Amino acid sequence: MSIPKYIECFSPIMDCISDGKNYTVKEIRELFFKKSNISEEEKQQLLPSGMPIINNRIGWALTYLKKAGLIEYPQRGVCHITNRGKESIKNGTEHITLKYLQQFKEFNDFHTSNKNKEKSENISDIINDESPDEQIQKAISKLNSSLADELMTEITRISPYDFERLVVRLLIKMGYGSPNFNDNAVTKKSGDEGIDGIVTADRFGFDTVYVQAKQWNKDKSVGRPEIQKFLGALAGQGATKGLFITTANFSKEAKEFANKNLQSKIVLVDGDELCNLMIEYDLGVSTVEIYKVKRIDTDYFNDEF
């Protein structure tokens, strides 16, 4: 089964606490897992932030139920069903949906700011079926995807030699050596013997990574013969580490060949991964806005004022 959406967590949560006892959030999660048959693999699936997806969804479901007045927190981290909650489950919990929660003023106020009190006939017009964290992550993913497309357009416009220099700059930003060690990292335009760049694998220059950088059409597929040629170039240098970076893609055969237990270790980076690395390490891009997502500091409220 797939991980339940946070709006699908309302009913199981209410089932878990229907006996009127106090439960910690951790206890609710464990009861929820058993009731919903959540697998260990599903428990381990993470948001980009590193938080387990199912924990995030249960957390938001608890927030929404609290805003609707169906549950309360009599003390920190402890959940309890309210009288309103008891009334809501008299005929079962299956009917507890977003539409059901909409009947409560407190819940609607939670979603409508004081500056904009326009009413909505359908709560789904206001609320997505993904948790707010997931909506933020998805929006960031869309922005980065669009940015990656723009990056690729710019990358294909520069000269092949400048592309080689760009790749080396990226590796330096990623911590391979330092600018001082890698002043001459890009090899000469001719007579490079199949090697486009050489960078140290650490800041002290103890080891070396040999680079092949190919600025090809994004729709082109780099095949096994090209990787074999690169392996030959590495052998000619007595090298043990090689990095093949391209704006194109790699064929299945090329990937399989690179993954073999060869004398030289070859890592493949295609155009999509190249753009993602440039975004991650701020090469060719700049930050225009920073949004901070904050959570309650429970330790603060445990201290004496």
Side-chain angles (χ1 to χ4, degrees):
M1 63 174 292
S2 60
I3 299 177
K5 298 175 181 178
Y6 83 98
I7 57 176
E8 297 171 335
C9 296
F10 298 153
S11 175
I13 288 174
M14 294 302 290
D15 281 333
C16 292
I17 64 173
S18 61
D19 58 9
K21 296 179 181 179
N22 287 346
Y23 289 94
T24 65
V25 174
K26 181 179 179 180
E27 289 170 338
I28 292 174
R29 279 202 300 262
E30 292 303 319
L31 290 171
F32 184 97
F33 293 156
K34 292 178 181 179
K35 183 175 182 61
S36 303
N37 296 317
I38 302 296
S39 68
E40 288 300 320
E41 182 181 356
E42 289 167 335
K43 292 179 188 178
Q44 301 304 318
Q45 293 184 37
L46 306 177
L47 292 169
S49 62
M51 183 179 188
I53 293 175
I54 185 60
N55 290 8
N56 175 266
R57 293 181 180 179
I58 291 174
W60 277 106
L62 288 168
T63 296
Y64 280 30
L65 292 170
K66 179 178 183 295
K67 294 299 181 181
L70 273 60
I71 65 173
E72 62 183 357
Y73 289 87
Q75 59 191 81
R76 183 175 68 85
V78 174
C79 182
H80 182 84
I81 190 171
T82 63
N83 289 332
R84 178 183 289 178
K86 292 176 182 178
E87 286 293 322
S88 71
I89 63 173
K90 281 185 175 180
N91 297 318
T93 62
E94 295 79 9
H95 65 284
I96 300 178
T97 62
L98 285 175
K99 186 174 181 180
Y100 179 84
L101 300 184
Q102 188 185 15
Q103 67 181 292
F104 304 113
K105 180 179 182 299
E106 303 94 320
F107 181 72
N108 291 327
D109 289 345
F110 172 58
H111 288 284
T112 310
S113 68
N114 292 328
K115 295 180 180 180
N116 182 14
K117 289 291 185 180
E118 296 179 1
K119 295 182 178 180
S120 172
E121 294 297 326
N122 190 339
I123 197 68
S124 63
D125 293 338
I126 303 174
I127 309 170
N128 196 294
D129 60 3
E130 296 171 320
S131 74
D133 296 80
E134 291 174 283
Q135 293 177 51
I136 291 173
Q137 297 292 346
K138 181 172 284 188
I140 291 173
S141 179
K142 287 182 178 178
L143 288 171
N144 283 343
S145 178
S146 176
L147 177 57
D149 287 340
E150 294 179 43
L151 265 178
M152 183 56 68
T153 299
E154 296 300 323
I155 292 171
T156 55
R157 288 175 178 169
I158 63 178
S159 71
Y161 185 67
D162 284 337
F163 176 66
E164 295 170 8
R165 293 172 60 84
L166 179 147
V167 166
V168 170
R169 289 194 187 102
L170 173 61
L171 294 175
I172 292 172
K173 273 185 166 287
M174 292 175 66
Y176 287 85
S178 67
N180 290 335
F181 276 128
N182 295 297
D183 282 339
N184 300 311
V186 179
T187 58
K188 296 179 180 180
K189 296 182 182 180
S190 61
D192 59 16
E193 300 180 341
I195 302 298
D196 295 324
I198 303 171
V199 295
T200 53
D202 54 73
R203 295 188 64 84
F204 297 103
F206 286 127
D207 206 350
T208 305
V209 177
Y210 289 77
V211 183
Q212 179 76 275
K214 292 299 181 185
Q215 185 192 35
W216 289 345
N217 188 294
K218 184 179 180 181
D219 298 325
K220 181 180 176 61
S221 181
V222 180
R224 172 172 172 160
E226 291 294 334
I227 309 304
Q228 288 178 306
K229 290 179 184 177
F230 183 45
L231 178 62
L234 294 175
Q237 299 289 334
T240 59
K241 296 179 181 178
L243 181 63
F244 196 117
I245 298 184
T246 180
T247 50
N249 301 298
F250 293 101
S251 69
K252 179 181 178 181
E253 293 74 19
K255 294 177 182 178
E256 290 176 348
F257 181 75
N259 287 331
K260 285 184 177 180
N261 188 20
L262 303 170
Q263 185 175 358
S264 297
K265 173 64 176 177
I266 299 178
V267 174
L268 307 181
V269 175
D270 63 16
D272 290 338
E273 187 175 356
L274 170 61
C275 290
N276 289 335
L277 288 171
M278 289 179 66
I279 293 171
E280 181 179 352
Y281 289 93
D282 292 323
L283 181 65
V285 300
S286 58
T287 301
V288 295
E289 191 66 78
I290 296 176
Y291 298 95
K292 293 183 178 180
V293 178
K294 300 184 179 182
R295 291 188 175 91
I296 193 72
D297 181 359
T298 53
D299 290 336
Y300 173 82
F301 292 98
N302 282 336
D303 297 333
E304 294 184 3
F305 287 92

